[in-house]
Amino acid sequence: MNSYPKLNFPPIKLRARESRGRTTVFDRVRSLYVVLTPEEWVRRHVVEFLVGRCGAPLRSIVEEYPVNVNAAAQRADVVVVDGAARPVALVECKAPDVRITPEVFEQATRYNAVLGARYVILTNGLTHFCFEHAADGGYLPMNAFPDLSLRQDEGSSL
């Protein structure tokens, strides 16, 4: 794991092991070991950040969330759902060496056209972009990650 870059997220602790010559890490969302790739390195950090800093309950996070876009099966990297299983935040993760471009934004917003999440987050672990889906269908840039904690006054919604 030493070959992976330091990301612009707080450090995390990973449970790692070697399996068939590859490093695998424990994914506590899916409760299984997954191969550690550069994109997975970012995803593990994002999930821990969403839980530890944004207040998302671990049980509200879904990885590899299925999305049908124009009858084609796709998967959103990370989706945070509310108590009624409605998507609240969609996170598109890229490897640290992949730039966050307009094409990445378009990919995420295509997914979100199906999911209808309030927030869209793009990250390669080094650069992060957060957007709020506006009532007019556009996306407004945010200055920080959204608060994803369950609010007592909103019942089961995030």
Side-chain angles (χ1 to χ4, degrees):
M1 287 189 301
N2 293 337
S3 64
Y4 290 99
K6 181 178 181 332
L7 302 178
N8 287 330
F9 286 113
I12 62 172
K13 292 185 181 199
L14 290 174
R15 203 165 42 174
R17 66 182 186 194
E18 290 296 316
S19 176
R20 298 183 188 150
R22 300 179 90 174
T23 300
T24 60
V25 293
F26 189 73
D27 176 347
R28 64 187 193 122
V29 172
R30 294 179 276 184
S31 295
L32 54 84
Y33 279 86
V34 295
V35 174
L36 184 61
T37 63
E39 184 175 317
E40 191 63 38
W41 176 246
V42 172
R43 186 183 353 232
R44 298 282 45 89
H45 281 78
V46 165
V47 166
E48 295 304 321
F49 187 82
L50 293 174
V51 172
R53 298 288 175 96
C54 297
L58 184 63
R59 70 183 181 281
S60 73
I61 296 175
V62 182
E63 295 176 349
E64 301 292 330
Y65 192 100
V67 181
N68 280 327
V69 178
N70 298 323
Q74 306 286 318
R75 294 190 179 272
D77 290 320
V78 177
V79 174
V80 180
V81 298
D82 66 13
R86 293 177 301 237
V88 174
L90 177 150
V91 183
E92 182 60 32
C93 301
K94 297 297 182 189
D97 64 342
V98 175
R99 289 183 51 238
I100 304 299
T101 63
E103 291 78 19
V104 174
F105 177 76
E106 290 167 13
Q107 175 189 7
T109 57
R110 267 194 315 275
Y111 293 170
N112 204 43
V114 175
L115 298 180
R118 179 175 177 182
Y119 303 108
V120 171
I121 301 166
L122 313 173
T123 184
N124 64 5
L126 302 171
T127 305
H128 322 296
F129 296 97
C130 301
F131 300 90
E132 184 169 11
H133 194 194
D136 66 4
Y139 287 87
L140 303 172
M142 299 173 64
N143 292 327
F145 279 79
D147 177 2
L148 299 172
S149 59
L150 289 174
R151 295 183 184 93
Q152 298 301 320
D153 58 337
E154 295 179 9
S156 63
S157 297
L158 284 175

